[in-house]
Every structure is written in structure tokens, then in C-alpha cells.
Amino acid sequence: MASLIKAVRGTRDILPPDTALWQFVENASRDVFHRYGFQEIRTPVFEDTQLFARGVGEETDIVSKEMFTWEDRARAQSEKAQSLTLRPENTAGVVRAYIEHKMGDAGKLQKLYYMGPQFRRERPQKGRYRQFYQIGAEVLGPPPAGSESPARDAEIITMLAQLLREVGIKEWTLQLNSVGCANDRARYNQALRDALAGVKDKMCVDCQRRAETNPLRVLDCKVPEDQPIIESLPKISQYLDEPCREHFNEVKKILNHVGIHYQVNERMVRGLDYYTRTTFEFTHGGLGAQSALLGGGRYDGLSEALGGPKAPGIGFALGLDRFVLALQSEQTVGIPDLNPRVYVAPLGQGMNAEAAVIARDLRKQQIPTELGDETFRPKKSFEAAERSGAKYILFVGENEIASGQFALKDLKTGEQVSLPREELAVKLKSAG
Ligand code: HAM
């Protein structure tokens, strides 16, 4: 026998009825985004590797170890192979598209959202996959359009709190920080480097390397023995210049006024290098080790790092896989009912054609309808109807066609009503 082929480690199939829950989150997100003035953007799933190297940062875990990258063979011998990468995140792609299509020339804020798969070669575990799905949004534009305003940061966070409320996730915590501007970070990196010089030998090998290459990343370390040292390191807040400090204060002031609770977490520097000023994460207790439901922040220099115009921005991405896990752990919403309302059972030879018309008409009237087969005996039709999850069964036989009266039977209660053809839809649409 041929050997079985299975889904690749770190990837998975999302099957019904779970897909209904995924659609529920997608629909709720679209709905909230439209109310906040966002429109959809779709960018390619793979991009030039340089986009992520320059956008996300060479020294990040994502770029240094987790990307699915390949040399794409040239079609002609004369052409050079190109290094391509499956997108590990979508912000760099959105900013590339913003630059490429000169979207800044419109002189307004671009408010864009996206949904789709992302790829990172991480060690798979609950809530962490190699192909995972993000829903995200970005606001960016030229500074005169107001792209640097702290009002945008607070608005994005307010929108997220709204989305969480609307999907029914209650157990979340918002962690907030400011990582300052590029100058602040350079000074802070130097301070960290100095502070780490004397102690790094006592830390894990990753931290020893990070202390040299990218000291900020030391703050991400989860190794328990390293924690006391990390706690004693200088804090980013001491290195923010006056405009960054004011920006952060304004974001906090608006959030306080809107009534959104947050915890300032000075160690939350996020795993991507493009961040400036505000960064945030929403975490959820029901998710275990992979507790980050979503993350985001400001990236005021990203467009310029990619060769574009000045286009400050802020955005976030939520992990759809984790959103669904959180919903399931809170059990606040059930899986939406996508079962058929009625199972149309043709009874006897020649009835497939009659039943096809009836089923088509019911579906036209927005009634989810399942359709059987005339070769099924009544007992088999009942069984098929029950398996389909339908609420009612409707037999279509010669007698029914001749009399124009149809028996509609409730599969659970056994209750049966006889109705003329034109009244079937009304009955099926009524509650119960
Ligand atoms: P990120 O924090 O790397 O940010 O990812 C955002 C979210 O994606 C995480 O909070 C998590 O829920 C989900 N996620 C990340 N990796 C995995 C994985 N391997 N399996 C399952 N879920 C995962 C970004 O990607 C930024 N682009 C967000 C952003 C947008 N910042 C500004 N604009």
C-alpha cells in the first residue's frame, strides 16, 4: 500500500465546524475595521528576502532563524537567481506597497487592513505554528496628514478593545510601552551594552551574543536564571527624549479617558526592529505559553528604511489561531450554527427533478437546504437528514406533487405540519 502523506509539521487543516468560528472572527474584524475607516489591502505571500532583512531587521529571531527562504531559479541562464521569502509578517509588505504605489501622494492617512497566512520556522506547540494566520491593520501617511499623532495610537488600541468586546474575549491584559525614537534607542542600547559588559558572562549563550549584536533583545530572554540580571538593567523610560516622553504621556492620557486599562511593561520591546515609540501587546491567560493574542506598535522610520518617503505609521496584527483558542477557552460564544434548516428528500423514481426545483426555490429564499436522492428509502432519508444536522425534513413524492400539500417534519420533536408549497419558506424562516 502507498504510504500516507500528512500535513507538514507546524501546519494544520482547519476543518468544519471550527471554520465557522474562524469566519466569525474574520467577519467581526471586518465589521469593526470598516467602522473605524479601514479598507482592505492584499499583498503577495512571498516577497524579496531583502524586504524582511531590511524591514524587520537582520538581528531579529524572525529574520536570523525563522524565515522560509529559497533561491528562486532563474528562467534563463543569463538571469540571476533571486532570494525569495514566505512572508513572516505583513507590515513590511504593506509599507512596500505604500511606497511602490505612491500612496503617500494622496496626502491623507492610509488606513489598511489585511488577513492571511504568515510563515515562521518556529518550534511548533499549542498556539504556535509554522503557517499561522494574522488579521492586522496599519495607519500610515505623510506627517502633515497627522500620521505622527498619539491620537492614532490610542485609536488603534481603542479599536482593538472594541473588537475583543464584540467577539466576546474578556480575559485580556494590555501591556504598553514606549521604545522611543532611533536616537533614544541608540543611547539606550549603549547603556545596555555598558551595563551588560560586566555581567553577560553569567547569562545564557543567546544573551551573550545579543549583548554584542542587539542588546535590546536581551530583554526578551525567558531563561529564569537571567531574570534578576535583566531586572537590574537600565530602563528605557530613562532614555526617552522630551517629544517621545510627551507622545507616550498623551497616548496614556487618551486611553485613561476612554477607560482602557493597561500595564506599562518596560521590558516589552517586541521582536521586530522597526518599532519606535509606542509598542503594545494584548495577552490572554487561557493560551498557555504562547499568551500573546496580538501585538503592534509604531514604526516611524520603516518607510525610509525601505527607500520610501517619510511615512510614520502604527499598526498591529492579531494571531487568528490564538483568537480562536481564546474564544474556545472562554466558551463565551458557541460555534455559529451553519446546519441546514431543511433536508429535502425526493421519494421515488422521477422525484429528483421535482425536488431540485423545490430546493432551488428554498435556497433562493435564503433557506439553507440540503438535498437527498430519490433512490433513498424513507428510513435512509431520515438518517441522512439527521446526520446533516437539519432541523426539518420535507418529503417530495408523487402524492405531494399531485396534491400540492407538503409534510414538513421537525426531526427532533417529530411534530409534523402539512403546508401548501408557497407557505414552506415562511414556515422555515419562522423561529424555532
Ligand atoms: P508579532 O508580534 O510578531 O507582530 O505577531 C503578531 C501576532 O501574531 C502575535 O501576537 C501572535 O498572536 C501571532 N503569531 C506570531 N507568531 C505566531 C506563530 N508562530 N503561530 C501562531 N501565531 C503567531 C507582527 O507580526 C507585526 N507585523 C505586528 C504589527 C503590525 N506591528 C505593527 N503593525
Side-chain angles (χ1 to χ4, degrees):
M1 227 172 45
S3 61
L4 280 181
I5 298 170
K6 294 200 175 148
V8 173
R9 193 169 123 82
T11 73
R12 60 206 184 116
D13 304 304
I14 317 295
L15 307 174
D18 285 358
T19 38
L21 212 45
W22 286 60
Q23 289 177 355
F24 167 71
V25 178
E26 289 161 3
N27 294 340
S29 304
R30 279 206 180 89
D31 195 59
V32 172
F33 295 162
H34 288 156
R35 270 180 274 151
Y36 276 78
F38 286 79
Q39 294 190 36
E40 188 178 7
I41 181 168
R42 301 186 189 201
T43 66
V45 166
F46 59 87
E47 300 261 7
D48 189 318
T49 303
Q50 274 305 307
L51 175 65
F52 305 113
R54 274 161 61 189
V56 176
E58 300 266 15
E59 275 303 324
T60 58
D61 280 357
I62 295 177
V63 172
S64 65
K65 3 185 205 201
E66 296 170 359
M67 296 206 300
F68 289 95
T69 297
W70 72 99
E71 288 297 312
D72 203 63
R73 253 175 287 125
R75 268 166 296 147
Q77 286 293 324
S78 56
E79 277 180 67
K80 274 219 321 253
Q82 189 182 10
S83 178
L84 302 179
T85 293
L86 289 180
R87 63 183 184 197
E89 61 99 54
N90 219 332
T91 308
V94 168
V95 176
R96 179 202 48 69
Y98 173 93
I99 299 167
E100 192 168 329
H101 303 286
K102 301 191 169 51
M103 292 171 84
D105 291 0
K108 60 168 187 175
L109 288 180
Q110 295 290 344
K111 302 172 82 175
L112 306 164
Y113 77 85
Y114 49 82
M115 301 186 176
Q118 317 291 334
F119 305 84
R120 297 182 192 175
R121 192 184 281 107
E122 294 193 84
R123 197 167 48 76
Q125 65 179 89
K126 182 184 168 204
R128 189 162 72 193
Y129 311 99
R130 290 181 165 187
Q131 173 168 340
F132 60 100
Y133 296 80
Q134 283 187 343
I135 297 180
E138 315 288 348
V139 187
L140 73 168
S147 54
E148 282 171 309
S149 168
R152 300 289 73 76
D153 308 31
E155 188 180 27
I156 283 266
I157 292 171
T158 307
M159 176 170 84
L160 286 165
Q162 176 84 16
L163 174 60
L164 285 158
R165 191 174 319 121
E166 292 189 14
V167 298
I169 297 177
K170 297 197 189 73
E171 316 281 314
W172 53 264
T173 312
L174 165 59
Q175 318 246 357
L176 194 65
N177 193 19
S178 173
V179 295
C181 56
N183 286 341
D184 303 338
R185 276 238 298 293
R187 286 186 296 129
Y188 182 54
N189 263 320
Q190 192 51 50
L192 283 178
R193 209 170 261 133
D194 295 344
L196 285 163
V199 292
K200 68 170 193 279
D201 295 344
K202 302 192 198 83
M203 302 182 81
C204 70
V205 283
D206 278 342
C207 280
Q208 293 186 17
R209 195 194 68 243
R210 292 173 185 140
E212 301 290 335
T213 56
N214 193 349
L216 209 61
R217 294 269 84 83
V218 168
L219 304 184
D220 293 336
C221 174
K222 300 269 161 28
V223 175
E225 293 75 33
D226 288 358
Q227 301 310 309
I229 298 178
I230 295 170
E231 287 304 321
S232 72
L233 293 171
K235 300 277 183 284
I236 182 85
S237 57
Q238 297 156 351
Y239 293 84
L240 299 186
D241 64 14
E242 202 43 42
C244 288
R245 205 185 301 271
E246 267 171 35
H247 184 100
F248 194 33
N249 284 340
E250 185 63 17
V251 175
K252 290 188 284 190
K253 190 174 122 196
I254 302 174
L255 291 179
N256 290 338
H257 200 72
V258 178
I260 293 176
H261 298 286
Y262 54 83
Q263 294 170 355
V264 172
N265 176 357
E266 293 206 40
R267 275 186 60 178
M268 198 202 45
V269 290
R270 310 260 307 121
L272 304 93
D273 279 350
Y274 50 60
Y275 289 116
T276 55
R277 295 191 167 174
T278 315
T279 55
F280 57 89
E281 259 176 35
F282 285 68
T283 54
H284 190 274
L287 288 175
Q290 300 307 315
S291 64
L293 262 182
L294 66 91
R298 196 163 256 295
Y299 43 86
D300 291 345
L302 178 55
S303 173
E304 287 145 296
L306 296 174
K310 199 167 165 43
I314 179 160
F316 72 91
L318 65 83
L320 185 49
D321 308 75
R322 295 186 193 174
F323 247 60
V324 169
L325 285 170
L327 276 175
Q328 287 167 334
S329 83
E330 286 197 24
Q331 294 179 334
T332 43
V333 282
I335 291 179
D337 182 12
L338 295 184
N339 285 331
R341 187 80 178 144
V342 60
Y343 182 96
V344 175
L347 188 61
Q349 215 190 351
M351 287 301 121
N352 269 348
E354 299 291 348
V357 175
I358 292 179
R360 193 262 325 263
D361 290 347
L362 292 175
R363 287 163 172 159
K364 229 194 237 169
Q365 295 176 84
Q366 312 302 323
I367 295 162
T369 302
E370 200 59 75
L371 179 58
D373 186 85
E374 65 183 27
T375 64
F376 291 5
R377 306 218 161 271
K379 183 163 179 283
K380 187 162 171 188
S381 287
F382 271 115
E383 284 166 6
E386 257 155 31
R387 270 195 208 117
S388 77
K391 181 158 172 60
Y392 293 99
I393 188 166
L394 175 75
F395 278 99
V396 179
E398 264 172 29
N399 291 343
E400 283 78 7
I401 297 297
S403 68
Q405 285 288 117
F406 292 81
L408 195 61
K409 186 167 186 164
D410 187 315
L411 282 158
K412 259 216 193 78
T413 64
E415 202 180 309
Q416 188 168 314
V417 284
S418 182
L419 294 168
R421 194 168 176 148
E422 341 45 274
E423 284 173 28
L424 288 170
V426 178
K427 168 71 184 167
L428 286 166
K429 272 191 195 161
S430 64

